[in-house]
Amino acid sequence: MPLLRYAIPCCAFVFSSLFSLPSAAEITTLSIPDQGWAITFDAPPLRPVREADSNDHYMYYGNANFFSVVINVDTPACEGGDSHENVLNCFWQKAGKEPLINQASVQKSCNSHYCKLSYDLENSFQDKGIKQRHVYFLFAYRNKWNNVHISFVNPTEADLKVLETFEQTFSYK
């Protein structure tokens, strides 16, 4: 899972977040093309920004105000079996080198459905502090390694509740 795949959606997110959209929550189901399964979650209505599909990779990127969702479905990217823990370890081995990650904010946990990784990125732009909360749901399913990435820029308490609701309602089948 080359990090460049995530750089383009993240850059697009920063620019597209400047345009407001309504943000009432709704149940969203996104079918994964040619895979016979879907991802479901409760989140603000998403404006699709980009979607790409090939034989070995699917990517979806959508946002609503300062909230974004990026879904990547890939062939395994590292050695090891199809386990949620292997997806997490492979992803973190690469992503964990990002210098803007506040290492004190990193949290990892796994359950029978996915491994969750969360952290804050901290930076500044024009002398104004920017904090991005990132949460990843990483899982192996049907011989694919899957990465569902949600994030908020400068999250408020209400935004953190959106992240919590997303996690409580997130499923795939």
Side-chain angles (χ1 to χ4, degrees):
M1 289 186 250
L3 292 179
L4 185 56
R5 284 187 183 163
Y6 308 108
I8 293 170
C10 287
C11 290
F13 169 70
V14 170
F15 292 114
S16 63
S17 294
L18 300 175
F19 304 101
S20 293
L21 296 172
S23 58
E26 65 180 24
I27 298 293
T28 300
T29 299
L30 296 172
S31 295
I32 308 303
D34 304 320
Q35 299 298 315
W37 59 281
I39 294 174
T40 302
F41 52 85
D42 189 349
L46 297 173
R47 178 177 60 122
V49 176
R50 182 169 182 232
E51 189 170 18
D53 185 23
S54 68
N55 289 341
D56 64 345
H57 177 74
Y58 170 74
M59 191 278 293
Y60 169 87
Y61 167 61
N63 71 7
N65 293 328
F66 293 104
F67 174 74
S68 72
V69 175
V70 179
I71 298 170
N72 285 283
V73 177
D74 286 299
T75 55
C78 293
E79 296 295 319
D82 278 350
S83 73
H84 307 325
E85 292 81 5
N86 282 343
V87 179
L88 169 66
N89 293 334
C90 179
F91 180 80
W92 186 243
Q93 179 182 358
K94 298 168 187 170
K97 297 176 183 172
E98 167 60 53
L100 298 177
I101 292 175
N102 174 345
Q103 292 295 328
S105 71
V106 174
Q107 296 181 351
K108 300 177 201 174
S109 62
C110 295
N111 61 39
S112 62
H113 302 288
Y114 56 80
C115 285
K116 177 183 165 188
L117 166 67
S118 63
Y119 59 80
D120 294 333
L121 281 181
E122 297 176 0
N123 203 351
S124 63
F125 180 71
Q126 297 179 343
D127 297 325
K128 186 176 181 182
I130 298 171
K131 177 181 173 181
Q132 293 179 317
R133 170 68 47 94
H134 293 267
V135 181
Y136 295 86
F137 300 93
L138 304 156
F139 57 98
Y141 188 64
R142 295 192 177 178
N143 300 316
K144 296 288 186 181
W145 283 16
N146 308 282
N147 169 348
V148 176
H149 172 206
I150 60 175
S151 63
F152 255 116
V153 176
N154 293 327
T156 64
E157 287 300 317
D159 297 336
L160 296 177
K161 291 286 186 196
V162 169
L163 296 177
E164 186 177 308
T165 298
F166 185 102
E167 180 176 1
Q168 291 170 349
T169 60
F170 171 73
S171 67
Y172 57 91
K173 58 183 176 176

